[in-house]
Amino acid sequence: MHGFEKKGQRMIALCMLGCVLFNFPILALFNVPGLLFGVPVLYAYIFITWALLIALMARVAEKRD
Amino acid sequence: MTKKVLIVDDEQNIVTALEYLLGQSGYQVEVAQNGEEALAVVDSFAPDLVLLDVMMPRVNGYEVCRRLRERPEWRHVKIVMLSAKGREVEVSKGISLGADLYVVKPFSNTELVAQIDALLAGA
Amino acid sequence: MLQGWVVVATSFAYLGLLFAIAYYADRRADAGRSLIANPYIYSLSLAVYATAWTFYGSVGRAASDGVGFLPIYIGPTLMIALWWVVMRKILRISKDNRITSLADFIASRYGKSALLGGVVTVIAVIGIVPYISLQLKAVSNSFTIVLQYPAIVMPAKVGAVPMLQDTALWVALSLALFTILFGTRHLYSAERHEGMVAAIAFESLVKLLAFVAVGVFVTFGIYDGFGDVFARAAADPELRPLLTPLEGVAGGYASWVWLTILSMLAILFLPRQFQVTVIENVREEHLKKAIWLFPLYMLAINVFVLPIAFGGRLHFPGGVVDADTFVLSIPMAERQELLALLVFIGGLSAATGMVIVETIALSTMVCNDLLMPVLLRLKSLRLNDRADLTGLLLGIRRGAILLIVLLGYLYFRLAGDAYALVSIGLISFAAVAQFAPVVLGGIFWKGGTRRGALAALVAGFAIWFYTLLLPALARSGWLPIGLLEQGPFGIALLRPLQLFGLAGLDQITHAMLWSMIANLGAYVMVSLSGTQSAEEHRQASVFVDVFRRSPEGGGARFWRGTASATDLHHLLARFLGAAAADAAFRDHAKRKGLSWPTQPLTADADFVHHVETQLAGAIGASSARIMVASAVKEEALTLEEVRRIVDEASQVVMYSHQLEQKSRELEAASSELRAANERLKELDRLKDDFLSTVTHELRTPLTSIRSFGEILARDPKVDLAQRRRFLGIIAKETGRLTRLIDQVLDLAKIESGRTDWTETAVDLREVIGDSVAAMSQVLQEKKVRVEVHLPEQITPVRVDLDRIFQVLLNLLSNAVKFCNPQDRRIEVTLAERDGWLRVEVCDNGSGVRPADEKSIFDKFVQAGDTLTDKPQGSGLGLYICRHIVEHHGGRIWVQRAPAGGACFAFTLPIERGAPIHQP
């Protein structure tokens, strides 16, 4: 039961982290002209952050209790 | 006037001994073989003292003692219970039913006679 | 090669393939080897979320808004992070309560309210209709475009073609037919559709493959990688603002945030998502993989959206080509026929997947939560009397599917042109978002009431209808446009798009803001101002506390059970003892104002709970639960419930059986102990009596001996004759003492098993003669007449002579003691029969009471009451006799003599080990 609680808490934390990263004002910091690896900064930021978030979710979800 | 003693016991040999002993001590003695007989004899014989064995067929010594004490005219009769059962419960049961003395068998002749003398002298 | 017949044939071939997959999966499921019982298929089936909207619409949105399409996928990703907390709970509740749809879930939470289920169904159907029309529009448009190949021609305005020549109608009818064939071939048990899930998972693969293929073709085939596409876009003044889109587009960040929230809710409450995530879920553990695989799928299908969007804008400058069609029109413009066909099939996949699952989910709701409750109440239909309603149910579901798809087509005809694909879809998102407060509130807050839920849904839906659906119809010309511009009856405050004067927000944000205020406000206020019924209260705790209940999850079912107070008392007494059980009962009775046991207790839920609590104190809560559950009879379990209990709780049942067995063993052991204790007490009492008896028996002869001893010693006057008599008595009483001591010693030997047996061949006639002779003095004294009957011939028998002699003496002296004192008579008989010798010693006394016939041979036991009947002897003689006879292989017993006295008999076998036949 303790393990489940922990996993739940970590997941909630990830959700909150995502809510902050994909929201004003953080998004505004990247809403600027220019390219990163040939991709507009905002797009690069969103896709990279998204991928990292999914990786973290995978880690927490698959972690044994 | 000679005092009268009623011996109630179903053991013939003990009765014989007591009869001799009390006869020698100057008492008028009558014998009953069991409780029923004792209760029947009491009226006609009118003893001053009853020597009562506890373990008897049909009406036992306790019962005889209780019935004697129920009748006002027999209240004055002294009762000495004789029993081979000497545990405390039995002694106190006899005393509580109104016996004056509870003597455990086997008894010493001199002591028994002395106690009977004392009881009748006090009366 | 893209002639019409090729496209149509390919489409039907593809649908046929889906059908084959579904058929195969159903067959596997029937055989018990489920195809879909793995987390990967589960994750792919969740991707039914990606519809034609994603496939065609995302590019359209990106072409005008830049990143504006992304919240629709980022929102679900964020919500899925919460799945471990939220979805696990919904899953558990749904499995425990056998939920069949979202409407069922909400109705069940609020006291199984049929009205609420109906309202949810109506909202879901109306809310989803625009979404279905979106799929029809996408498929029919793509079909129309593909048929124009190689020209790129946008489809004509809806309504410009007569209905019967309208592609969308035929698409709609085909999809409805296909779904009916697919989802309602037969009634599925447990509302699960394995075939459908397998086909949907396959479709998810196809649409991903098709979309990525186009993406790769555009990015790397037409252009030179991502950098090239974006560099060209950055160089284009028209496209440059899209690279930093969040400031330029309508609503900006507010729109982004609201779209994120909206899609967070949509992933939970879209009927098709609820269907695949909850209803079709095979195992709760599959969530673990789905939590990251499904977001990964959404990431993958979105990677190429922006390159395609920018590529399309660069490819078709001037806006002549609808951006919603870029995915298809770019390959066509580049003459990639096969790719175009693949894209068409991918789009078809996305649309059919959505329509199939959505309409199946909605038809289940329409059937179970809207029509059946009404039909079952209509007594004139007499549905309650019908044993098999399968046909009716299937008919209703098929009709519902057709109706819903046709409603979608109707909406498409009415309002299909006014909005882009994504905007149409968002209207549906906003509708299902209205379920959020009642569902999320329902599983985390026990206070929500049925009336609160009804108020919330009605208020939220009304605002949605007014601010989103009405404007859509007005813009399409079906309602006067003045309604939007001046407000109804010219009341500006009530303008649907600027309700209460709130302006400056985009349409979705505006609608969500007001509907959520109304929805949430009504839910909380109405819930708090009213009270719950018992049923609502119970369901609330079943839902909210789903994880707190024991693993078998039978809480709700459990309290429906009935039990007898006797059973419960028995159960308590088994673990706590009868006294504590009595106390617990009295305690409970007192609280109920009754006096137990004169007034009986009813074993209601409260009482069962009381018993369980009592029991928990002794054996722990979980064991108490199991024990109580085993004593409580459950009501009206359906076949499904029984199956589930057997599947899920067979472990629990096994434990419960083991526990019950253990408790039975304990009970047996404790009753054995109690019996042993009783016997010990009895033995102790007997021993006490024995000691008392032996003492008495020792003291009685001692009294005479002592008394005469003293007389003889102290009284010289005793004459000679008397001396002799007294000495004789002393001698006799000494003999009596000796006998008693011998018996006690015999007993001691018997008890310790150290008796010596010396056996010789013996003629029993002699032994009987000797024993009578040995008694002759006593017999003469008491004037006893003895008759001895001996046979002429007798077989000698090997016995211990002295012991058998002892037995005979004992029986004879008993007979002398107990025979009639007026006329003492004894009969001794010896007989031989069938290899047995039998000796009888009968007296003419009063006999042995039947109750004593067995126990008289036990140790220490004397016939009669010790106080009224003077016991004769120590109570050891017969016990010793029995021991001796049984040692020789014989038997001893007492019976009533013909003359009325006691007849003691014993047998001896002539040959030891002779047949066990007993005369």
Side-chain angles (χ1 to χ4, degrees):
Chain A
M1 206 57 191
H2 184 72
F4 149 62
E5 295 288 4
K6 199 120 193 169
K7 184 176 278 197
Q9 286 166 17
R10 286 182 174 147
M11 282 297 190
I12 291 170
L14 278 183
C15 173
M16 288 163 72
L17 177 70
C19 287
V20 171
L21 292 179
F22 292 115
N23 206 340
F24 183 83
I26 307 285
L27 276 184
L29 296 180
F30 297 91
N31 193 25
V32 292
L35 298 177
L36 191 67
F37 314 119
V39 178
V41 176
L42 183 66
Y43 301 165
Y45 165 74
I46 289 176
F47 276 96
I48 290 169
T49 311
W50 193 4
L52 285 177
L53 186 65
I54 292 171
L56 283 174
M57 282 162 65
R59 210 181 131 83
V60 173
E62 299 284 343
K63 197 179 164 83
R64 287 191 176 277
D65 291 339
Chain B
M1 183 182 141
T2 45
K3 304 270 183 184
K4 291 189 271 186
V5 175
L6 174 63
I7 300 170
V8 190
D9 202 332
D10 62 331
E11 279 287 335
Q12 189 52 51
N13 294 333
I14 296 177
V15 170
T16 309
L18 286 171
E19 213 177 347
Y20 179 83
L21 200 61
L22 293 175
Q24 290 296 309
S25 305
Y27 293 105
Q28 186 184 340
V29 179
E30 181 65 64
V31 173
Q33 293 274 353
N34 56 52
E36 275 173 349
E37 208 181 317
L39 288 169
V41 170
V42 166
D43 266 328
S44 55
F45 181 61
D48 297 291
L49 187 141
V50 180
L51 261 178
L52 193 56
D53 182 35
V54 174
M55 295 283 281
M56 290 181 298
R58 288 185 286 282
V59 185
N60 67 43
Y62 295 133
E63 183 63 18
V64 174
C65 180
R66 199 178 58 77
R67 289 207 209 157
L68 286 178
R69 284 298 180 238
E70 272 174 4
R71 303 264 295 266
E73 63 270 32
W74 292 338
R75 288 263 167 79
H76 70 280
V77 177
K78 303 291 178 193
I79 298 175
V80 176
M81 301 203 87
L82 281 176
S83 175
K85 291 194 167 184
R87 291 187 299 191
E88 262 179 43
V89 273
E90 286 141 2
V91 176
S92 62
K93 184 174 178 187
I95 298 298
S96 71
L97 283 172
D100 296 280
L101 194 63
Y102 192 104
V103 175
V104 179
K105 295 175 183 175
F107 46 82
S108 145
N109 290 353
T110 38
E111 265 176 45
L112 181 68
V113 172
Q115 277 166 329
I116 289 172
D117 288 346
L119 271 175
L120 290 177
Chain C
M1 75 173 266
L2 287 180
Q3 297 92 332
W5 68 268
V6 175
V7 176
V8 172
T10 313
S11 303
F12 279 99
Y14 177 68
L15 294 182
L17 177 63
L18 285 186
F19 199 82
I21 290 171
Y23 185 73
Y24 175 64
D26 275 337
R27 289 282 298 273
R28 286 278 299 254
D30 290 342
R33 292 177 298 129
S34 174
L35 198 62
I36 68 161
N38 74 72
Y40 304 101
I41 301 284
Y42 181 61
S43 303
L44 278 176
S45 74
L46 297 187
V48 73
Y49 181 69
T51 65
W53 163 351
T54 306
F55 199 84
Y56 293 114
S58 281
V59 169
R61 182 89 173 192
S64 61
D65 275 6
V67 290
F69 69 100
L70 276 176
I72 307 301
Y73 309 95
I74 288 176
T77 305
L78 297 177
M79 179 49 86
I80 288 165
L82 289 183
W83 267 14
W84 192 253
V85 179
V86 177
M87 188 53 80
R88 264 179 83 243
K89 194 161 190 175
I90 293 176
L91 272 177
R92 183 70 64 84
I93 292 167
S94 301
K95 284 183 190 299
D96 280 358
N97 294 278
R98 306 207 59 72
I99 298 297
T100 58
S101 68
L102 183 61
D104 191 22
F105 188 92
I106 294 173
S108 176
R109 161 61 180 83
Y110 296 98
K112 304 183 177 169
S113 159
L115 175 62
L116 201 51
V119 168
V120 171
T121 303
V122 170
I123 293 177
V125 169
I126 296 177
I128 292 302
V129 161
Y131 206 166
I132 288 173
S133 82
L134 180 163
Q135 312 301 323
L136 299 179
K137 179 178 176 180
V139 171
S140 70
N141 280 0
S142 62
F143 186 69
T144 313
I145 292 167
V146 149
L147 286 186
Q148 305 296 322
Y149 181 84
I152 309 281
V153 182
M154 288 301 104
K157 280 267 178 206
V158 183
V161 286
M163 198 180 273
L164 286 179
Q165 289 169 29
D166 189 352
T167 325
L169 177 64
W170 299 108
V171 170
L173 290 175
S174 313
L175 279 180
L177 182 69
F178 185 59
T179 308
I180 287 169
L181 282 174
F182 216 88
T184 57
R185 275 187 301 128
H186 52 76
L187 268 189
Y188 288 78
S189 65
E191 296 311 323
R192 294 201 16 231
H193 309 70
E194 296 232 339
M196 180 194 82
V197 172
I200 294 306
F202 177 73
E203 291 206 292
S204 293
L205 279 179
V206 170
K207 66 196 178 198
L208 180 63
L209 185 73
F211 196 84
V212 170
V214 181
V216 168
F217 173 71
V218 172
T219 313
F220 300 100
I222 303 180
Y223 300 97
D224 192 14
F226 289 104
D228 185 33
V229 180
F230 289 119
R232 288 184 195 218
D236 190 316
E238 261 189 60
L239 296 184
R240 198 178 303 125
L242 292 182
L243 300 186
T244 53
L246 287 172
E247 274 139 23
V249 298
Y253 294 107
S255 171
W256 171 279
V257 169
W258 272 108
L259 285 185
T260 308
I261 294 174
L262 202 53
S263 42
M264 282 175 85
L265 301 179
I267 197 67
L268 288 179
F269 303 124
L270 279 169
R272 70 172 189 284
Q273 291 306 130
F274 196 87
Q275 181 78 26
V276 290
T277 317
V278 180
I279 312 297
E280 309 288 351
N281 174 274
V282 180
R283 291 183 55 193
E284 220 171 275
E285 273 93 284
H286 292 169
L287 268 188
K288 275 189 194 169
K289 283 256 182 322
I291 275 178
W292 60 274
L293 273 177
F294 177 38
L296 198 61
Y297 182 99
M298 290 191 290
L299 178 72
I301 209 168
N302 277 303
V303 165
F304 289 104
V305 169
L306 284 162
I308 296 173
F310 289 131
R313 289 281 300 258
L314 292 166
H315 208 87
F316 305 109
V320 286
V321 174
D322 186 351
D324 276 350
T325 69
F326 280 172
V327 181
L328 187 60
S329 48
I330 295 175
M332 282 172 65
E334 293 292 320
R335 309 283 163 125
Q336 296 291 330
E337 295 183 12
L338 265 180
L339 186 59
L341 194 59
L342 178 63
V343 166
F344 175 76
I345 295 298
L348 189 65
S349 280
T352 51
M354 182 279 180
V355 172
I356 289 168
V357 185
E358 203 82 84
T359 52
I360 286 177
L362 287 175
S363 72
T364 307
M365 284 195 205
V366 168
C367 174
N368 290 6
D369 298 291
L370 193 63
L371 288 180
M372 285 315 284
V374 176
L375 294 182
L376 286 174
R377 267 175 215 178
L378 291 177
K379 291 213 167 57
S380 56
L381 294 179
R382 306 176 66 84
L383 286 187
N384 286 322
D385 301 342
R386 278 167 65 173
D388 185 12
L389 292 173
T390 327
L392 179 69
L393 289 172
L394 279 179
I396 290 175
R397 288 184 191 188
R398 286 172 182 156
I401 288 171
L402 188 64
L403 183 77
I404 291 162
V405 174
L406 287 180
L407 275 176
Y409 174 70
L410 186 67
Y411 187 88
F412 167 69
R413 290 287 291 197
L414 293 180
D417 273 341
Y419 293 94
L421 293 179
V422 169
S423 304
I424 298 174
L426 284 177
I427 292 176
S428 292
F429 272 31
V432 297
Q434 304 306 324
F435 298 137
V438 296
V439 173
L440 295 178
I443 64 172
F444 290 109
W445 182 46
K446 283 188 203 170
T449 66
R450 187 180 71 93
R451 293 165 64 90
L454 263 177
L457 289 177
V458 170
F461 180 68
I463 303 254
W464 170 84
F465 192 89
Y466 191 69
T467 57
L468 282 177
L469 201 61
L470 220 58
L473 295 175
R475 281 194 180 152
S476 315
W478 295 95
L479 290 169
I481 200 76
L483 189 71
L484 300 185
E485 283 160 7
Q486 284 91 39
F489 316 111
I491 305 169
L493 269 184
L494 294 182
R495 280 177 298 175
L497 296 177
Q498 288 95 29
L499 197 57
F500 307 122
L502 184 66
L505 297 173
D506 72 291
Q507 201 184 341
I508 293 290
T509 308
H510 171 262
M512 282 306 291
L513 198 64
W514 283 123
S515 65
M516 275 300 137
I517 288 173
N519 186 325
L520 204 57
Y523 181 59
V524 175
M525 304 284 232
V526 176
S527 289
L528 289 181
S529 62
T531 52
Q532 290 177 324
S533 70
E535 178 83 351
E536 281 176 75
H537 189 74
R538 202 194 65 188
Q539 287 299 98
S541 70
V542 164
F543 273 51
V544 175
D545 293 335
V546 68
F547 286 119
R548 252 180 250 161
R549 291 183 294 124
S550 55
E552 83 266 32
R557 201 177 60 235
F558 174 69
W559 294 119
R560 259 191 280 133
T562 52
S564 84
T566 323
D567 286 351
L568 291 173
H569 187 273
H570 185 61
L571 182 68
L572 270 185
R574 272 160 76 178
F575 287 95
L576 306 178
D582 287 351
F585 267 53
R586 271 195 301 274
D587 189 35
H588 181 76
K590 209 164 146 193
R591 278 191 286 129
K592 294 250 156 173
L594 299 168
S595 78
W596 187 83
T598 45
Q599 288 166 294
L601 288 173
T602 26
D604 54 7
D606 189 27
F607 187 38
V608 170
H609 179 70
H610 177 70
V611 168
E612 190 185 326
T613 317
Q614 295 291 317
L615 214 49
I619 57 173
S622 53
S623 308
R625 184 54 177 282
I626 293 166
M627 289 314 296
V628 169
S630 71
V632 170
K633 284 160 204 72
E634 290 171 359
E635 269 175 17
L637 283 179
T638 65
L639 196 64
E640 276 306 309
E641 280 173 307
V642 171
R643 192 179 62 81
R644 188 165 63 93
I645 291 164
V646 170
D647 285 349
E648 290 182 1
S650 59
Q651 197 82 17
V652 178
V653 169
M654 199 180 74
Y655 286 152
S656 137
H657 281 174
Q658 284 176 352
L659 206 63
E660 231 181 325
Q661 195 184 340
K662 282 269 175 284
S663 89
R664 267 200 296 272
E665 283 169 14
L666 260 176
E667 209 182 1
S670 94
S671 76
E672 269 173 38
L673 267 175
R674 211 176 301 122
N677 191 34
E678 283 303 311
R679 279 187 35 164
L680 272 177
K681 275 198 208 153
E682 174 71 7
L683 280 178
D684 194 49
R685 197 179 58 75
L686 285 174
K687 190 156 193 150
D688 219 34
D689 288 352
F690 168 70
L691 276 178
S692 175
T693 311
V694 167
T695 309
H696 183 268
E697 290 304 300
L698 284 169
R699 280 180 170 173
T700 303
L702 272 175
T703 307
S704 313
I705 294 167
R706 180 176 177 181
S707 207
F708 284 116
E710 283 182 13
I711 290 170
L712 290 172
R714 293 186 190 165
D715 191 348
K717 293 174 288 184
V718 186
D719 62 38
L720 194 63
Q722 268 186 323
R723 269 173 203 271
R724 278 217 189 102
R725 195 175 144 225
F726 291 172
L727 283 169
I729 291 175
I730 290 176
K732 217 171 98 185
E733 293 289 2
T734 313
R736 184 171 157 190
L737 265 180
T738 314
R739 278 201 305 281
L740 183 69
I741 291 166
D742 283 346
Q743 280 188 341
V744 174
L745 286 177
D746 270 348
L747 179 70
K749 274 189 190 168
I750 284 169
E751 301 273 82
S752 63
R754 279 180 289 131
T755 327
D756 297 321
W757 304 92
T758 43
E759 294 183 359
T760 48
V762 168
D763 184 337
L764 265 194
R765 288 177 301 187
E766 286 175 21
V767 186
I768 291 170
D770 289 350
S771 59
V772 174
M775 293 287 291
S776 59
Q777 200 188 342
V778 182
L779 295 172
Q780 271 175 12
E781 256 174 43
K782 301 219 168 182
K783 301 188 180 69
V784 182
R785 281 189 290 146
V786 181
E787 282 176 42
V788 181
H789 310 283
L790 300 174
E792 306 222 331
Q793 294 282 320
I794 197 80
T795 316
V797 60
R798 281 190 69 83
V799 293
D800 184 315
L801 175 63
D802 292 341
R803 298 292 179 181
I804 296 300
F805 188 71
Q806 187 184 348
V807 171
L808 281 165
L809 275 188
N810 200 301
L811 293 184
L812 281 172
S813 61
N814 271 350
V816 171
K817 274 188 231 167
F818 291 105
C819 61
N820 185 355
Q822 271 73 50
D823 174 25
R824 299 174 204 266
R825 272 187 294 156
I826 296 177
E827 259 183 84
V828 183
T829 315
L830 172 65
E832 177 176 352
R833 203 190 332 160
D834 302 335
W836 290 85
L837 296 183
R838 171 175 170 148
V839 182
E840 280 179 21
V841 179
C842 301
D843 61 54
N844 62 344
S846 54
V848 176
R849 287 190 302 192
D852 292 330
E853 280 180 4
K854 283 233 159 22
S855 63
I856 201 170
F857 293 100
D858 286 343
K859 192 165 52 170
F860 313 133
V861 173
Q862 295 165 315
D865 180 3
T866 46
L867 272 184
T868 52
D869 287 324
K870 173 149 179 142
Q872 313 253 348
S874 61
L876 289 175
L878 285 173
Y879 174 73
I880 294 168
C881 289
R882 195 188 90 190
H883 189 85
I884 293 168
V885 170
E886 285 178 358
H887 177 86
H888 286 93
R891 196 166 76 89
I892 186 167
W893 70 96
V894 65
Q895 64 200 35
R896 184 156 279 272
C903 212
F904 284 83
F906 68 90
T907 55
L908 291 173
I910 290 165
E911 279 186 49
R912 206 70 62 81
I916 312 296
H917 169 73
Q918 299 264 339

